[in-house]
Amino acid sequence: MEMEIRTLSRGRRLLLLYCSFFRITALVVGGGLAMLPVIEEIFVVKRKLLTREELLDMTALTQTVPGIIAINSAVYIGMKVAGVPGAIAAAAGAVTPPFTVILVIASLFPHLDPKNRYLLGVFAGIRAAVTGMILVTGCRMFRRTVKSPLEIAVVLVFFVLAIMKVSPALLILAAVPFGWCYVLWQTRRLARAEQANGESSKVSAESASESRRNEEGGKC
Amino acid sequence: MLNHCIILFFQFCKFSVLCFGGGYMLIPLLTAEYVDREQVLTMSEFGNLCSVAQVTPGPVGLNTATYVGYVNEGFFGALAASLGLIVPTVLIGCSAAAGINRWKDTFLVKGMLKGTRLAAVALIMFAVTIFLGMSVFTQTIPWEAFGALFKLDYPVLPEGFRVSPAGVLICGATIALMLKTKVPTTALLLGSAAAGALLSAWF
């Protein structure tokens, strides 16, 4: 199967990428992470273009670089399969369906009756569900990311600043130099702790050998 | 017109570069820009827009971008906004895919990730408060109706602290279902839409 793909002409490969991502974003409701199982099925199980390890790498990468996860995945897989043109084809495929659907809905929207109580109810219901979804996503991110009391404090400071209407863009930019200082401080602390550990174990080894020597001396 | 589209394109380039941690990060960025600063949208319009973006297939971030672009400048605005969201990603993705394994353990990348992730968690919490304000602490279906239904004396709560029972019910149910079961997102959204319509018809 892999050979078959490798022998595909460049044009066919680009078409395959475009169509696959067209299908993925046309069918999957929800965020970029909801796409992962579908990506796995198409590119790992069926087409055998990626290994499972590569997919794991991709998952890490898509959450590392900025940008929405869906497009990040498309770009990465496109790169793997057909280089930069592949990345562009995959991204274009991922964009086309939501773009069209939203355009149609957005142009219909003004024709809806804004006072219709059923319509209002539908929107209220979906908003409440979305609130729950963001809350769950946020909690999962919190658990994955925040690992010490100091980090909890930092998150709280950022949160309060955001509530006080500090621009979110500014907050993210400020977070970068903060992260550098933090990582630097952490590695220094770790190094110091290791050094201390090393010394103490050396000391204990010395004392052990000393006591052994003493015992031997006693025997003599 | 063209000017506006170019501005939209670069605004969304900015959002794309700042968007660490997925499409929900766009919510605080977009509200700060279009609701608070430029005031082209009201908060409630923004809520509807996010609901539409969540229900229609496709990544949430992309849907929201297209919609905001359309609201601003029509078809070409939508095009400019979604291109703006994609172009930086393609550029960064193409260079990162080649070099990430060499770079990912350096202190510069690690520090940037740590910092931006902490900020992302805080901003998503902020997005939750925005949405709580629009779905739970609102009077779409007033508390009084709920009290009257069960013949209860309801406490008179100050403005802004009144809770919409429908919002609490649906939000709570969504959280419980997401944590305890593997109900697909589509089903959750359709169910809550139906529940919302039913509850608003009932009260």
Side-chain angles (χ1 to χ4, degrees):
Chain A
M1 195 70 179
E2 197 172 349
M3 288 313 291
E4 193 186 313
I5 293 294
R6 294 266 189 259
T7 54
L8 277 182
S9 72
R10 191 177 194 98
R12 290 289 298 278
R13 257 187 273 174
L14 295 185
L15 194 68
L16 173 75
L17 279 170
Y18 183 86
C19 293
S20 306
F21 275 96
F22 188 99
R23 231 177 72 198
I24 290 174
T25 51
L27 296 181
V28 178
V29 179
L33 284 176
M35 289 171 36
L36 269 180
V38 191
I39 291 182
E40 185 177 355
E41 212 211 295
I42 294 184
F43 285 94
V44 179
V45 179
K46 227 173 98 193
R47 298 283 182 177
K48 297 200 169 39
L49 281 169
L50 293 171
T51 60
R52 237 166 260 269
E53 286 73 50
E54 281 174 318
L55 192 77
L56 272 181
D57 273 355
M58 186 201 79
T59 322
L61 186 79
T62 50
Q63 286 169 62
T64 303
V65 295
I68 54 179
I69 295 174
I71 305 289
N72 287 350
S73 325
V75 167
Y76 182 81
I77 293 178
M79 273 292 279
K80 276 268 166 192
V81 177
V84 176
I88 295 172
V95 173
T96 316
F99 185 72
T100 331
V101 171
I102 291 288
L103 272 189
V104 171
I105 292 181
S107 54
L108 287 180
F109 218 63
H111 302 296
L112 296 175
D113 176 16
K115 294 269 186 303
N116 185 321
R117 63 187 301 186
Y118 299 105
L119 198 66
L120 287 180
V122 165
F123 274 114
I126 296 171
R127 264 191 225 177
V130 173
T131 310
M133 283 174 187
I134 306 179
L135 190 71
V136 172
T137 313
C139 288
R140 283 184 184 151
M141 264 181 86
F142 192 94
R143 269 216 312 242
R144 260 206 323 267
T145 315
V146 182
K147 297 211 167 92
S148 70
L150 181 68
E151 291 177 9
I152 295 180
V154 171
V155 168
L156 280 180
V157 169
F158 276 127
F159 177 67
V160 171
L161 286 175
I163 289 208
M164 285 161 63
K165 300 267 174 224
V166 177
S167 143
L170 204 69
L171 284 180
I172 298 173
L173 288 180
V176 176
F178 166 79
W180 288 333
C181 298
Y182 184 72
V183 167
L184 208 62
W185 175 73
Q186 240 182 355
T187 40
R188 284 235 177 117
R189 211 178 50 154
L190 262 179
R192 213 172 296 150
E194 247 170 47
Q195 215 177 2
N197 256 338
E199 270 169 20
S200 69
S201 62
K202 225 184 275 170
V203 167
S204 60
E206 268 170 21
S207 67
S209 64
E210 225 167 72
S211 62
R212 210 176 301 138
R213 224 176 290 145
N214 286 347
E215 272 174 28
E216 278 167 13
K219 268 183 201 166
C220 284
Chain B
M1 167 78 189
L2 186 65
N3 264 349
H4 280 157
C5 288
I6 294 174
I7 293 174
L8 263 179
F9 174 79
F10 281 110
Q11 274 176 338
F12 273 89
C13 283
K14 182 182 87 180
F15 296 148
S16 171
V17 171
L18 291 173
C19 175
F20 288 88
Y24 287 138
M25 271 294 287
L26 284 176
I27 293 173
L29 288 167
L30 290 176
T31 48
E33 187 76 33
Y34 296 108
V35 180
D36 293 340
R37 218 170 62 84
E38 293 188 6
Q39 299 182 337
V40 283
L41 290 167
T42 65
M43 202 47 125
S44 128
E45 277 170 339
F46 185 77
N48 287 348
L49 192 154
C50 285
S51 312
V52 172
Q54 184 82 48
V55 184
T56 46
V60 184
L62 207 52
N63 290 346
T64 319
T66 312
Y67 209 135
V68 171
Y70 186 84
V71 171
N72 271 299
E73 280 298 322
F75 174 80
F76 290 103
L79 196 65
S82 23
L83 277 181
L85 206 60
I86 298 159
V87 169
T89 307
V90 173
L91 293 179
I92 296 172
C94 287
S95 39
I100 193 74
N101 284 326
R102 235 178 315 148
W103 287 91
K104 72 180 175 201
D105 285 329
T106 60
F107 125 84
L108 283 177
V109 172
K110 263 168 130 181
M112 188 185 77
L113 281 184
K114 191 75 210 178
T116 49
R117 276 196 189 144
L118 291 177
V121 172
L123 286 176
I124 285 188
M125 280 159 63
F126 177 58
V128 173
T129 60
I130 294 178
F131 261 81
L132 278 177
M134 285 191 296
S135 63
V136 173
F137 296 102
T138 152
Q139 288 175 294
T140 329
I141 299 160
W143 189 231
E144 281 81 353
F146 203 58
L149 187 74
F150 293 106
K151 308 264 188 299
L152 290 173
D153 278 332
Y154 47 86
V156 180
L157 293 166
E159 192 83 21
F161 285 93
R162 298 197 183 173
V163 175
S164 145
V168 176
L169 273 178
I170 296 173
C171 183
T174 309
I175 294 173
L177 285 174
M178 274 185 85
L179 292 181
K180 297 286 173 206
T181 61
K182 288 209 186 290
V183 182
T185 325
T186 326
L188 279 179
L189 289 168
L190 287 179
S192 54
L198 274 178
L199 286 169
S200 74
W202 181 19
F203 288 121

